[in-house]
Amino acid sequence: MNEQQKESFIRDVYHPYHQDVYHYCLYFVNNVEDAQDLTQDIFVKALKSISTFKGDSSVRTWIMSIAKNTTVDFYRKKKIRRLLPFKWSNERSTFVPSPEFHIERNVDWKVIQEALNSLKNDYRQVIILRGLKEFSTKETAEILGWSESKVKVNYHRAMKKISSYISTDEEGVVMYEKSK
């Protein structure tokens, strides 16, 4: 890939969709550092595979499909690591919250993340794409590889489920209640 192609990629793919990809990752993994790493991985994958992009969908849909697949793979690997005994894993927890981490984690954000994390993956993905990132039903269907009717049904069910977890008290404080 020459410099002109790289500049074109940055101008046409990275700049317009970086925030969408980052927010999708952040909503999905609920960790700033992991979301940043995933975002970087996604754009590296996209850069390497841009020559295979046929234009059957929009660039936005294509890059978000890569984001979906990459975050799902990350989530699966993370889940497998949690199931393995610590002695089999050479990983040590090195997470130290940064000031930005604390700023981004206000009470409402925490409640939304807890509620999102309590949902099954399909529901979480459809809420992130439709509800939080405001993709159309058609775009969401293309990204997830679903029919538009499946997107509509899952979005309705996911919103009903997540709404049952989130409430406000008499002072307007948003609360998460998994017991429902």
Side-chain angles (χ1 to χ4, degrees):
M1 179 173 276
N2 64 37
E3 282 303 309
Q4 187 177 6
Q5 290 169 319
K6 287 179 186 174
E7 288 175 15
S8 174
F9 177 84
I10 291 169
R11 181 186 64 248
D12 299 337
V13 179
Y14 181 80
H15 285 302
Y17 306 113
H18 174 264
Q19 283 299 105
D20 285 339
V21 169
Y22 173 72
H23 288 143
Y24 178 83
C25 294
L26 184 60
Y27 292 138
F28 198 87
V29 300
N30 192 26
N31 180 290
V32 173
E33 289 81 11
D34 287 343
Q36 291 168 342
D37 291 345
L38 282 166
T39 301
Q40 180 178 339
D41 291 347
I42 289 159
F43 281 100
V44 167
K45 286 179 183 181
L47 181 62
K48 288 179 180 178
S49 65
I50 191 74
S51 62
T52 64
F53 177 65
K54 294 177 178 57
D56 296 337
S57 63
S58 70
V59 174
R60 183 179 190 214
T61 301
W62 174 72
I63 195 71
M64 292 306 295
S65 294
I66 295 171
K68 179 207 79 142
N69 292 333
T70 303
T71 55
V72 168
D73 288 346
F74 171 83
Y75 184 74
R76 284 186 191 133
K77 289 175 189 172
K78 190 173 182 178
K79 189 174 183 179
I80 289 169
R81 279 191 221 123
R82 276 197 319 256
L83 297 174
L84 293 174
F86 182 76
K87 66 180 182 177
W88 292 351
S89 171
N90 291 330
E91 251 181 70
R92 300 247 191 282
S93 179
T94 59
F95 178 71
V96 178
S98 65
E100 295 87 354
F101 179 81
H102 291 293
I103 291 168
E104 290 180 9
R105 304 266 309 171
N106 63 35
V107 175
D108 291 346
W109 172 252
K110 186 176 180 181
V111 169
I112 291 168
Q113 282 303 131
E114 285 181 47
L116 276 173
N117 287 332
S118 67
L119 298 173
K120 65 182 189 174
N121 278 342
D122 284 354
Y123 286 1
R124 187 178 341 159
Q125 289 179 49
V126 77
I127 285 180
I128 291 169
L129 292 171
R130 290 281 298 128
L132 298 173
K133 296 309 297 172
E134 299 178 350
F135 281 89
S136 70
T137 302
K138 182 178 181 181
E139 289 172 321
T140 303
E142 288 177 19
I143 291 166
L144 296 175
W146 296 352
S147 68
E148 289 184 41
S149 62
K150 181 175 180 177
V151 169
K152 290 175 184 175
V153 168
N154 276 5
Y155 183 65
H156 174 76
R157 289 177 181 166
M159 289 302 291
K160 188 173 180 179
K161 187 74 162 174
I162 203 168
S163 295
S164 73
Y165 295 152
I166 298 174
S167 63
T168 54
D169 66 10
E170 59 278 351
E171 296 174 9
V173 176
V174 179
M175 300 181 317
Y176 167 74
E177 299 178 63
K178 171 73 169 148
S179 60
K180 292 183 180 181

